[in-house]
Amino acid sequence: MPLVKSGRIVEDRFVRVLDDAPVPDNVPVILPAARLIADARELVLRQAPTGVIWPNDRRVAELAPYLDWIALVALVFPTFKDGRAYSQARLLRERYEFRGELRATGQVLRDQLLFLHRAGFDAFEVTKDKDAAVFVETLQ
């Protein structure tokens, strides 16, 4: 799945780790929300960046205590009709002043790009290669 960031298609340096899988050392990882919260004391000591996949049915206020050391928050769009992640993004950027990478994931469509960007997203997991090229062109 192409990742568009900073106006270009880039390789995703983050590795997704499942709930019960060991967290590799010295590798940027993305963890499920429940895993991040459960293991926060150990994760804060990691030497590599840590990110989280935050579902759109959880309040971002739960994430606030961890934002100082999280490098990436991936917000989920389970369907193109479900826009709760837009609100989550605005809250993260404006209320909680999160300055790390804010990634849109799931059903991310080219028609949404400008709205995603305005809401504070700066990285986009795009399912179609053709859409990734449109994202790049629009963001330049």
Side-chain angles (χ1 to χ4, degrees), residues 3-11 132 135-137 139-140:
L3 176 65
V4 177
K5 185 176 177 182
S6 302
R8 60 185 217 267
I9 299 171
V10 298
E11 184 177 335
F135 272 57
V136 168
E137 183 179 320
L139 290 171
Q140 291 181 344

Side-chain angles (χ1 to χ4, degrees), residues 97-116:
E97 299 179 353
F98 179 65
R99 298 294 168 240
E101 179 179 320
L102 193 53
R103 184 181 293 191
T105 188
Q107 293 294 314
V108 179
L109 306 176
R110 69 169 94 177
D111 296 348
Q112 301 169 312
L113 175 61
L114 294 177
F115 299 111
L116 292 165

Side-chain angles (χ1 to χ4, degrees), residues 54-58 75-89 103-109 112 115-116 119 121:
W54 199 258
N56 71 354
D57 60 354
R58 281 189 90 151
L75 298 176
V76 181
F77 288 86
T79 68
F80 73 94
K81 295 179 189 180
D82 190 337
R84 290 178 284 181
Y86 288 110
S87 299
Q88 289 175 315
R103 184 181 293 191
T105 188
Q107 293 294 314
V108 179
L109 306 176
Q112 301 169 312
F115 299 111
L116 292 165
F121 289 97

Side-chain angles (χ1 to χ4, degrees), residues 4 16 23-25 27 32-34 36 41 43 49 58 69 71 79 83 88 97 99 104 117-118 122 135-136:
V4 177
R16 291 184 190 241
V23 177
D25 293 329
V27 175
L36 178 94
R41 285 195 173 137
L43 294 169
R58 281 189 90 151
W69 56 270
T79 68
Q88 289 175 315
E97 299 179 353
R99 298 294 168 240
H117 189 66
R118 282 187 209 148
D122 56 2
F135 272 57
V136 168

Side-chain angles (χ1 to χ4, degrees), residues 12-139:
D12 190 357
R13 63 188 188 108
F14 283 82
V15 174
R16 291 184 190 241
V17 177
L18 300 176
D19 281 329
D20 56 351
V23 177
D25 293 329
N26 301 317
V27 175
V29 296
I30 300 176
L31 302 167
R35 174 84 184 266
L36 178 94
I37 291 171
D39 297 344
R41 285 195 173 137
E42 295 82 31
L43 294 169
V44 73
L45 302 174
R46 291 186 79 242
Q47 298 300 309
T50 302
V52 63
I53 300 171
W54 199 258
N56 71 354
D57 60 354
R58 281 189 90 151
R59 296 181 35 179
V60 292
E62 296 176 63
L63 188 56
Y66 312 104
L67 292 176
D68 288 341
W69 56 270
I70 291 176
L72 174 153
V73 176
L75 298 176
V76 181
F77 288 86
T79 68
F80 73 94
K81 295 179 189 180
D82 190 337
R84 290 178 284 181
Y86 288 110
S87 299
Q88 289 175 315
R90 294 294 295 260
L91 286 169
L92 285 168
R93 290 293 192 211
E94 295 174 8
R95 181 179 296 168
Y96 298 107
E97 299 179 353
F98 179 65
R99 298 294 168 240
E101 179 179 320
L102 193 53
R103 184 181 293 191
T105 188
Q107 293 294 314
V108 179
L109 306 176
R110 69 169 94 177
D111 296 348
Q112 301 169 312
L113 175 61
L114 294 177
F115 299 111
L116 292 165
H117 189 66
R118 282 187 209 148
F121 289 97
D122 56 2
F124 314 91
E125 286 183 2
V126 185
T127 55
K128 299 178 185 175
D129 290 337
K130 193 176 358 177
D131 285 352
V134 172
F135 272 57
V136 168
E137 183 179 320
T138 304
L139 290 171

